[in-house]
Amino acid sequence: MSNIYRINKAGIYGIGHYGVFETRIMIGQPDTCGSIKLTPEKLKEVLDCLHIDWEDGGFINDLLNGQMVSITTDDDGYFISIGDPYGNKVVMLP
């Protein structure tokens, strides 16, 4: 099933207890209802898929905040892909 969501926040998320950082995108309709963890390679694919101009650089939250995306879920409601809201391109999630 595919639905349109808004990216509410994006950036590096740190978990001090484990001493780890990950790139995370918070999505919702409009309230946040889920998050997607991305590797740097997947983040690049998402930026390109959404036709985000990041040639000259930018903070991930500034580039993605407010963007509308298509999210596909499996039968259990887990996110399996993210793409442009028109269904032209998608990035499969790990």
Side-chain angles (χ1 to χ4, degrees):
M1 181 167 76
S2 183
N3 289 306
I4 304 299
Y5 291 85
R6 179 181 68 204
I7 295 177
N8 293 329
K9 189 181 284 190
I12 301 297
Y13 186 80
I15 305 168
H17 180 75
Y18 297 108
V20 297
F21 295 97
E22 61 191 23
T23 302
R24 190 176 284 194
I25 295 176
M26 306 299 285
I27 62 166
Q29 296 180 328
D31 294 329
T32 298
C33 63
S35 66
I36 298 169
K37 297 181 231 175
L38 298 171
T39 64
E41 294 78 21
K42 285 290 181 182
L43 177 59
K44 179 189 175 303
E45 286 183 51
V46 170
L47 291 170
D48 291 341
C49 174
L50 297 176
H51 303 289
I52 304 292
D53 181 12
W54 58 290
E55 180 69 24
D56 294 328
F59 290 98
I60 297 303
N61 193 55
D62 294 339
L63 297 172
L64 290 176
N65 192 24
Q67 290 288 324
M68 301 305 288
V69 294
S70 172
I71 299 290
T72 305
T73 58
D74 63 13
D75 292 337
D76 295 321
Y78 293 104
F79 303 141
I80 57 174
S81 72
I82 182 172
D84 74 82
Y86 307 107
N88 297 322
K89 292 184 178 181
V90 298
V91 174
M92 299 307 292
L93 299 171

